[in-house]
């Protein structure tokens, strides 16, 4: 309908994305970024980090259904079990090695060790993970089929939130002592 | 494009759904069912069961992006933590009471106790659960925004599959003893 | 793109739905309702009534393409000939019996008598109807593949509007005396 | 995904359209037609006729969501009350004059007399009609937002089908004598 | 979701189109136009002209994915090589003759001479052109699968813009003298 | 609808993509590839090359609307003026420097020099190009919002095809001598 619809974050937004910036105010910088994919901080419990080129940093992505992220994982680090509720992810390994996998809804595991230059597809919405069991930092570039992919990390949903322990144990069958240990680890309440 | 496209399960299927049955062979029974929403068996670890009216039982649903299920939960039972990777779910309580909730990707919990006649919406792709903490069987009717919604139960993905314990512990931080206990419970391997 | 886009009815709306409420102001009540599916008033010409759980009463449905309604029909009552221009409807009978049917664009009639627990699909956009020829109130739950399904009742379009009698007779071939009788019945003008 | 997907009517078809012809067998004639929009026969009860350029005659339209028709209406003729369940229609008058109108789902009538060169939009799914109350043949070109728009004529759905008179009278409130007269006129049964 | 969403050009717009006008302020003129398809001016370098019935002149087209244009080409005139980045075009010849063609992404040419009443389909996004090598004005009606189709004319993108000659020669292999001649012709800079 | 639909290239395909492989025959290699993004051959007129991870090499991409390519450009090389008729492209520079730009349909040029780590967005369907005016090989990773993006190179459409010189000169205004020179260069006929 339009050549493009650069996000104007000051206007209302709706199910299809952000309102468009006045086309006369659009310039090439709305479609590009420097540094958004710099090495992310990996000094955390996962020994992994993410830097993103999503619609919040590149407003020209609005409405176009695609975006990028760089994911670095230190040796021994992981991208914990998570989903992207509305996006397929396609990984390209730029450096190092990873074990990457997803699980289908009939509980089949699709897992593989990949190295530099390899590509791996994670169909939209499915649980997946990455593990760096090597001795070098791994660097991957991930493309997403959404301009603003959300990420739901199972551990954080359960243990970094205020979800009641009673509900967690009932709906995951994890024993309450383990739940409390994980709540301490992830700083959850409830 | 067509008035309808009744699924012919003997023909190839693609990203948009099943191939259409010859329209001359279609009759009213392709659009209806009796008994598909009968009381499901709840004699299982969850004390809950599901009966479905999806495209496999009502071929006329093909391509129409909607379907139904009935979910019964015994007192003390649960619908365990799960997602529908491609569908929103809208619950109507037909009988009894449930605690139902979902968690957003920024780890906010939306939880509520609902009773007969109440409606609850679970946006597509997000982790959610139901708990029957009452003393009566609960019966709900769920509508889905897919003619064939898939369901990914977190416990089954992890503990009923052949996903390696080493990967599970690394990507969920659940301790290996608990993982093994859950694998025994859910009959997983790996 | 977003986990959800709860409708803010004070902001502009567009072809894809309503603008999103500030996510910080969203709470669980935006995704649920009590009483919206209570027994509707059936004291009207159709001896039938509708209570709805659409995006106007459950703002969390915005952009999710699904909604619900309850339809009660008294003995001898009907849901008159109508279409939902943008939605498939899936009916579940909760109580009583109905004759339900739709007509395809090549004038084939798909009609069936259904009872409690039965499911019936009405593909989007097609003319359909329900008749309660039994002796008990019928109660159905209808799911729609739209968060705000519109309903066009043929009789009301013709006879409750200000469409000129001359146009009605010319385009429906119903004789003018009958048109006038129906205009009186439905309180139309023109 | 593909430059085009020319319909191969010998292969299975699905919700998104027909299977694609082998691209090596495609030629320019798959994208064009001569004579498909010739003057249609108007010797019928409506004094109106339709010639179409839909995917059945131009296989290159498959998957592209657009098609054309020519509609001729004799003086005193009509395009009877109908809907296109999945398509918007945009009319351009090539010759003569018509009264054209549609009715919204809140029973508002949008009606206008249009002449050569005028354009009129009928939003998808809504009841509409055309009446030639002039003294000359009218010729219009209609574009549809579907490569294979279906048409549901209310009179034919009711009176040219085998829908039971009892159901018709109950769901339309048209008196049974008038129903029988119209069934005779349209050669329906039931 | 709505019967229609008439464009209100004073409100924000987004990827799915313009915001909707208050339905109470909508009237039949929002869905129709007179004169928008009058004979366009063809006194230009192409000896061709375009008059449009897009969402800017018919606000009722908003969100409906369809629109119209009339294209007149004088003898010896052309519609220069161009694309519609988001729309399929379906041409109907109303008067005269044209050579019309498109090129697929594997460099196959689909070209044909068409005359009054003929229809020709140009799949979305592909390079195409029209040439009037006859001796009479040609008049065509084009339908587009977008309510606001954009048009990218290759010559104007290159030679009417401020794209640097050095870039043009490098990326098109057209020699710089020819580039400068064309820039003079099209009044480009750079 | 399905967790995934891995392409089976032996079955019919349609507008939404390829038919799905029997899910029981799917394995992890359907979702991954090694070597598909190896350094491409750049020994050609453009001094540039492309290696792709599209649905033809990774069948698991079918229906998911995303894919990848690696583009290498030698110093002095170019990616010639082209469009992707159905895909947005997001470029990440992995090595070297490029001048990259696109042109909107109102002839505005959006051009920028980018280096390692920079990201650049090219909205779907618009003419664009890359020029390596540096002294080192440039390597970029491009993500596309299509599982099988097509590419239309303007020079090849015109000069590597059999499009008649008379049509080319008429519709591009390039003088015939230059057209013939370019046809020789690109080995076109016509």
């Amino acid at each position: 309908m339009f050549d493009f619809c650069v996000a104007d974050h000051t206007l209302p937004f709706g199910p299809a994305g952000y309102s468009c910036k006045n086309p006369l105010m659009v310039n090439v910088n709305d479609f590009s970024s420097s540094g958004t994919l710099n090495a992310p901080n990996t000094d955390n419990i996962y020994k992994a980090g993410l830097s993103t080129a999503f619609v919040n940093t590149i407003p020209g992505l609005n409405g176009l259904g695609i975006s990028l992220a760089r994911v670095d994982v230190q040796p021994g680090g992981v991208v914990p079990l998570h989903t992207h509720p509305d996006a397929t992810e396609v990984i390209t390994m730029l450096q190092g090695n990873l074990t990457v996998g997803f699980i289908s809804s009939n509980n089949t595991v699709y897992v593989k060790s990949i190295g530099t230059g390899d590509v791996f597809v994670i169909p939209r919405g499915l649980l997946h993970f990455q593990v760096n069991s090597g001795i070098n930092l791994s660097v991957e570039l991930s493309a997403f089929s959404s301009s603003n992919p959300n990420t739901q990390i199972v551990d954080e949903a359960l243990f970094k939130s205020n979800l009641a322990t009673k509900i967690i144990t009932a709906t995951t069958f994890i024993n309450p002592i383990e739940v409390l240990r994980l709540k301490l680890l992830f700083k959850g309440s409830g």
Side-chain angles (χ1 to χ4, degrees), chain A residues 12 146 166:
Chain A
S146 164
K166 196 172 63 174

Side-chain angles (χ1 to χ4, degrees), chain A residues 89-152:
Chain A
E89 179 176 359
V90 184
I91 293 172
T92 311
M93 287 299 289
L94 300 183
Q95 178 186 318
N97 293 277
L98 276 180
T99 298
V100 56
F102 69 87
I103 309 163
S104 68
S105 60
N106 68 351
N107 306 320
T108 303
V109 178
Y110 298 84
V111 66
K112 193 166 188 175
S113 292
I114 61 173
T116 306
D118 292 352
V119 175
F120 194 89
V121 178
I122 297 152
R124 63 173 169 259
L126 298 178
L127 286 165
H128 62 286
F129 56 82
Q130 290 108 302
V131 177
N132 184 348
S133 45
I135 56 171
N136 298 302
L137 175 74
S138 72
V139 179
E140 63 175 83
L141 192 74
S142 285
F144 296 94
S145 63
S146 164
S147 62
N148 197 26
N150 42 12
T151 296
Q152 181 155 50

Side-chain angles (χ1 to χ4, degrees), chain A residues 5-187:
Chain A
C5 171
V6 174
D8 182 335
H9 294 286
T10 69
L11 293 175
F13 55 104
Y18 296 96
S19 288
C20 313
K21 197 171 168 175
N22 180 337
L24 298 175
M25 306 299 286
V26 169
N27 67 52
V28 72
N29 295 318
D30 290 312
F31 298 98
S32 57
S33 72
S34 272
T36 53
L37 295 184
N38 281 353
N41 186 346
T42 58
D43 183 16
N44 53 46
I45 190 177
Y46 306 124
K47 299 184 189 168
L50 179 80
S51 55
T52 63
F54 292 174
V55 68
N56 59 327
T57 50
I58 306 188
L61 287 170
N62 187 41
L64 297 177
I66 191 165
S67 64
L68 298 176
R70 168 179 167 169
V71 182
D72 288 16
V73 187
Q74 297 289 351
V78 298
V79 183
L81 190 74
H82 67 290
T83 65
H84 305 293
D86 73 336
T88 290
E89 179 176 359
V90 184
I91 293 172
T92 311
M93 287 299 289
L94 300 183
Q95 178 186 318
N97 293 277
L98 276 180
T99 298
V100 56
F102 69 87
I103 309 163
S104 68
S105 60
N106 68 351
N107 306 320
T108 303
V109 178
Y110 298 84
V111 66
K112 193 166 188 175
S113 292
I114 61 173
T116 306
D118 292 352
V119 175
F120 194 89
V121 178
I122 297 152
R124 63 173 169 259
L126 298 178
L127 286 165
H128 62 286
F129 56 82
Q130 290 108 302
V131 177
N132 184 348
S133 45
I135 56 171
N136 298 302
L137 175 74
S138 72
V139 179
E140 63 175 83
L141 192 74
S142 285
F144 296 94
S145 63
S146 164
S147 62
N148 197 26
N150 42 12
T151 296
Q152 181 155 50
I153 297 173
V154 176
D155 269 334
E156 299 193 3
L158 293 174
F159 308 123
K160 198 175 177 177
S161 69
N162 66 1
L163 187 61
T165 298
K166 196 172 63 174
I167 289 180
I168 299 174
T169 55
T171 62
T172 68
F173 295 75
I174 303 174
N175 80 50
I177 292 170
E178 182 66 1
V179 169
L180 290 172
R181 188 184 70 80
L182 289 164
K183 283 207 173 192
L184 273 173
L185 186 64
F186 286 100
K187 305 191 192 313

